[in-house]
Amino acid sequence: MNESVRITLRLPADLHEWLPAQARSARRSLNSEIVYRLEVERDTAAADAESP
């Protein structure tokens, strides 16, 4: 990640409770957890798009 962009993000309360717990268990910050999960999803979607 060469450049970062700051955004405001609204989450449902239950998701906001779940994400920090996941971040703690992975020893990541909340921001890092969100970025990690988005990157995994992006890579999965790209791989699926390349599959016949």
Side-chain angles (χ1 to χ4, degrees), residues 21-38:
Q22 297 302 303
R24 278 191 301 276
S25 70
R27 295 179 175 236
R28 288 191 273 265
S29 68
L30 178 57
N31 186 79
S32 293
E33 184 69 17
I34 293 168
V35 169
Y36 169 77
R37 289 177 179 272
L38 288 171

Side-chain angles (χ1 to χ4, degrees), residues 2-40:
N2 297 336
E3 185 179 329
S4 61
V5 177
R6 182 176 227 161
I7 65 168
T8 300
L9 178 65
R10 294 176 192 263
L11 298 173
D14 60 336
L15 186 56
H16 186 262
E17 292 173 9
W18 179 78
L19 271 170
Q22 297 302 303
R24 278 191 301 276
S25 70
R27 295 179 175 236
R28 288 191 273 265
S29 68
L30 178 57
N31 186 79
S32 293
E33 184 69 17
I34 293 168
V35 169
Y36 169 77
R37 289 177 179 272
L38 288 171
E39 288 176 338
V40 167

